[in-house]
Amino acid sequence: MKSPSWPWPWSWPGRLRKAVDPYVAALLGTVALAALLPASGRAAGAVEGAADIAIGLLFFLYGARLSTREAVHGLRQWKLHLLVGASTFVLFPLLGLAVGGLAPFLLTDRLSTGVLFLCVVPSTVQSSITLTSTARGNVPAAICAGTYSSLAGMAVTPLLAAWLIGSRVGFSADGLLSIATQLLLPFAAGQCLRRWIGEFTVRHRRTLGLLDRGAILLVVYTAFSRGMTEGIWQQITPVRLLALLGVAATLLAVALVTTSYAARRLGFGREDRVAIVFCGSNKSLATGLPMAAVLFGDSAGPVILPLMLYHQLQLMVCTVISTRWARPSSGSTPLTSAHTATPLKVRLSTSWYRGF
């Protein structure tokens, strides 16, 4: 009998790199850096200014990449976008209101407000595209769904926040104008200049993808630095933090299960279901943080904590799911993808994976 072969210790780093997504590792490293070396004083102002520029550049690139023809074609899949919108702006707010009942027992009032704000934030663009592509889903649908959600959220999110959260939100015409200036204006500029720079964005999509992720990392560093300097972490006990993590995990699980079940029941194809699950369950940190700064002002610190935790959680969980869905299995039936033109073999394990 042969003795089992164990991997040598020097092979562990390579195995670890394959198991851990580099972007998730970079996000965790950014959080650790903000905890150890938070930006304060003049450095904080410089970092926040750089983060604002990075967010504007991010939405400029979104506009430059989105083909007008592709956007118009995406409107034909109105059922898919309607389902994503229902998950983002109907299901999540209802879940947020339900969580509000836990405020006296598990969460503080500010954390409960933050959870409700998390639930009205629009879907993300870049993460949804990356996850859908990894899982061999309908990438054009993910691009359109994430973009439509972000654009709709510039108006819907402040309105829902003012309605559901009430007087704690500084809702005004100036606030809407500030959001539009920081997010919508760069997107529109990218669309206008797409005719001249569209091919450049396609040729250098990998490099620009790193720029996208770098912008998100800068936003995360800025937000966590602000939390450290304002003493947010000292205001929250470990029990409250664990409760908040449990709430975020529950929200993500409910969103994943509900969108998967609804997409399957409504008869969507596999590629469309992948896009619906990721677009309907993810929340945008790049859109949510600037909105929180406008709507809550100096008291935005504790409010953005649920969004930041949820963002980290969605990336880690959905990266594992997308990798699993992309993995072929010899015991499953091949599926032909209309968008990848390659046979797909999907491994089925738990009940909510069924149909993918």
Side-chain angles (χ1 to χ4, degrees):
M1 178 181 296
K2 293 183 178 180
S3 59
S5 59
W6 301 97
W8 292 100
W10 51 78
S11 68
W12 295 346
R15 291 173 179 266
L16 186 61
R17 283 194 297 269
K18 293 180 180 180
V20 179
D21 182 79
Y23 184 42
V24 174
L27 281 167
L28 295 177
T30 302
V31 172
L33 179 63
L36 296 173
L37 296 172
S40 59
R42 292 184 178 179
V47 170
E48 288 179 4
D52 290 341
I53 294 173
I55 291 173
L57 180 60
L58 193 66
F59 277 84
F60 175 80
L61 291 175
Y62 288 163
R65 290 189 189 118
L66 182 64
S67 166
T68 305
R69 180 182 300 177
E70 192 174 69
V72 173
H73 178 74
L75 290 174
R76 299 177 183 176
Q77 295 182 292
W78 60 270
K79 291 183 180 179
L80 183 149
H81 302 308
L82 189 62
L83 183 55
V84 171
S87 175
T88 303
F89 297 119
V90 178
L91 173 64
F92 266 100
L94 291 176
L95 294 174
L97 290 173
V99 170
L102 301 175
F105 307 102
L106 296 177
L107 305 177
T108 64
D109 289 339
R110 298 301 294 173
L111 289 180
S112 179
T113 299
V115 171
L116 195 51
F117 175 70
L118 151 70
C119 291
V120 300
V121 169
S123 178
T124 182
V125 179
Q126 186 61 40
S127 296
S128 297
I129 295 171
T130 303
L131 293 167
T132 302
S133 176
T134 301
R136 302 180 183 181
N138 188 343
V139 175
I143 294 173
C144 293
T147 303
Y148 296 156
S149 179
S150 294
L151 294 177
M154 293 179 194
V156 175
T157 294
L159 291 173
L160 281 176
W163 180 35
L164 299 177
I165 301 176
S167 59
R168 286 168 288 183
V169 173
F171 180 76
S172 64
D174 290 340
L176 286 176
L177 182 61
S178 176
I179 292 171
T181 302
Q182 190 171 5
L183 304 179
L184 182 59
L185 190 59
F187 180 87
Q191 275 283 285
C192 293
L193 294 176
R194 174 178 166 76
R195 178 179 178 182
W196 295 277
I197 65 175
E199 292 184 3
F200 175 84
T201 60
V202 172
R203 287 198 308 267
H204 299 86
R205 59 182 178 273
R206 287 193 175 183
T207 303
L208 294 176
L210 295 176
L211 186 62
D212 287 352
R213 294 190 169 193
I216 297 296
L217 293 177
L218 184 57
V219 170
V220 171
Y221 176 77
T222 303
F224 271 87
S225 291
R226 185 186 304 170
M228 291 298 298
T229 55
E230 293 177 359
I232 294 177
W233 299 106
Q234 288 78 6
Q235 300 171 17
I236 301 172
T237 64
V239 174
R240 300 280 191 189
L241 190 59
L242 286 175
L244 180 60
L245 186 60
V247 168
T250 302
L251 288 174
L252 180 59
V254 171
L256 289 170
V257 172
T258 303
T259 52
S260 174
Y261 176 79
R264 189 168 61 250
R265 291 288 295 176
L266 292 173
F268 285 96
R270 180 206 179 267
E271 293 79 17
D272 289 344
R273 294 199 299 270
V274 171
I276 289 169
V277 168
F278 290 131
C279 294
S281 62
N282 279 218
K283 292 291 183 176
S284 175
L285 191 66
T287 305
L289 291 184
M291 287 186 177
V294 171
L295 296 175
F296 298 98
D298 295 335
S299 61
V303 174
I304 62 176
L305 182 57
L307 177 60
M308 291 190 293
L309 286 180
Y310 186 90
H311 185 264
Q312 307 293 318
L313 194 62
Q314 78 182 14
L315 283 175
M316 290 186 286
V317 172
C318 291
T319 297
V320 173
I321 293 174
S322 64
T323 304
R324 188 182 184 91
W325 283 347
R327 187 184 307 161
S329 175
S330 58
S332 57
T333 305
L335 296 175
T336 301
S337 169
H339 301 279
T340 59
T342 57
L344 300 178
K345 299 179 180 179
V346 185
R347 182 177 182 177
L348 308 179
S349 56
T350 57
S351 60
W352 86 275
Y353 279 82
R354 197 169 299 130
F356 284 87

